[in-house]
Amino acid sequence: DTEVTQTPKHLVMGMTNKKSLKCEQHMGHRAMYWYKQKAKKPPELMFVYSYEKLSINESVPSRFSPECPNSSLLNLHLHALQPEDSALYLCASSQDLAETQYFGPGTRLLVL
Amino acid sequence: AQKVTQAQTEISVVEKEDVTLDCVYETRDTTYYLFWYKQPPSGELVFLIRRNSFDEQNEISGRYSWNFQKSTSSFNFTITASQVVDSAVYFCALRGYGNNRLAFGKGNQVVVIP
């Protein structure tokens, strides 16, 4: 079962709001990823967690704050976002950093 | 540096036609991994195939087939007898050995016309 779930599916937020995106996998994978994807573009890597520790931060602005509470869960906390942050946010997981990444359905975020 | 080029941005075909998506890659790594993902309008990236650099065998899975040629640094993808459900964006991606980042191509938008 290669399933990664993400909630919510859609999110609309104002620039002063605080919200969180959630990602969950029950495949026993030890690496989890956040990507941002703008329309008609490929996904861009934001963060990588390996064994619940932050492994890669691709110079993402501090208004995005990742959290990995346990090996199955990955959160992305959002605060004071800008309209240009509107995008599809994809979560992925893999057995470890060397293995194939499996993606969730994404959260479509609109910042007003 | 790793780079993936998918030259064709949008391809339209009539149902039941074959469509081939080209993927050309650049890497200095001698060991690397190539991937194809499908992204339907719903947004999820669906994993289709992974190919290791030391395995040049072509692969067929139903109506999908892949042609890997190291000599030309290409990993092309063919959909045979296309169906409307094949309408999606297809991404080719590359990861070098020891590199935790996937390098994606720009994607091919495939539109299958009934």
Side-chain angles (χ1 to χ4, degrees), chain B residues 95-109:
Chain B
R95 184 172 62 76
Y97 180 77
N99 189 329
N100 302 327
R101 293 167 176 80
L102 273 176
F104 284 93
K106 291 186 176 179
N108 299 122
Q109 171 82 62

Side-chain angles (χ1 to χ4, degrees), chain B residues 77-88:
Chain B
F77 172 33
T78 297
I79 304 172
T80 302
S82 60
Q83 300 176 2
V84 172
V85 293
D86 297 325
S87 296

Side-chain angles (χ1 to χ4, degrees), chain A residues 4 25 27-33 48-53 55 68 71 74 91-102:
Chain A
V4 177
Q25 56 88 13
M27 297 177 281
H29 289 177
R30 303 315 300 263
M32 296 186 77
Y33 311 75
V48 180
Y49 274 82
S50 177
Y51 289 83
E52 299 160 49
K53 289 189 174 6
S55 173
C68 189
S71 59
L74 185 65
C91 174
S93 71
S94 61
Q95 188 66 42
D96 58 40
L97 291 174
E99 294 301 321
T100 300
Q101 294 179 29
Y102 295 93

Side-chain angles (χ1 to χ4, degrees), chain A residues 33 35 37 40-43 45 55-56 58 88 90 97-105 108, chain B residues 33 35 37 39-47 50 91 95 99-102 104-106 109:
Chain A
Y33 311 75
Y35 286 84
Q37 187 180 23
K40 298 190 183 297
K41 299 286 188 184
L45 184 64
S55 173
I56 296 175
E58 293 285 56
L88 177 67
L90 292 161
L97 291 174
E99 294 301 321
T100 300
Q101 294 179 29
Y102 295 93
F103 287 79
R108 292 192 187 275
Chain B
Y33 308 93
F35 304 82
Y37 286 89
Q39 189 172 38
S42 59
E44 179 177 357
L45 260 79
V46 178
F47 165 71
R50 164 183 162 146
F91 289 100
R95 184 172 62 76
N99 189 329
N100 302 327
R101 293 167 176 80
L102 273 176
F104 284 93
K106 291 186 176 179
Q109 171 82 62

Side-chain angles (χ1 to χ4, degrees), chain B residues 26-114:
Chain B
E26 297 175 32
T27 180
R28 293 197 189 109
D29 293 319
T30 52
T31 300
Y32 52 88
Y33 308 93
L34 294 160
F35 304 82
W36 276 96
Y37 286 89
K38 173 183 179 180
Q39 189 172 38
S42 59
E44 179 177 357
L45 260 79
V46 178
F47 165 71
L48 296 179
I49 190 171
R50 164 183 162 146
R51 176 60 75 220
N52 303 334
S53 56
F54 45 85
D55 179 4
E56 284 196 71
Q57 277 196 347
N58 292 328
E59 181 148 343
I60 298 174
S61 175
R63 296 182 297 104
Y64 294 171
S65 62
W66 291 269
N67 183 355
F68 177 30
Q69 296 205 346
K70 281 179 82 168
S71 60
T72 56
S73 298
S74 65
F75 186 42
N76 297 339
F77 172 33
T78 297
I79 304 172
T80 302
S82 60
Q83 300 176 2
V84 172
V85 293
D86 297 325
S87 296
V89 179
Y90 292 86
F91 289 100
C92 181
L94 164 71
R95 184 172 62 76
Y97 180 77
N99 189 329
N100 302 327
R101 293 167 176 80
L102 273 176
F104 284 93
K106 291 186 176 179
N108 299 122
Q109 171 82 62
V110 173
V111 177
V112 181
I113 303 164

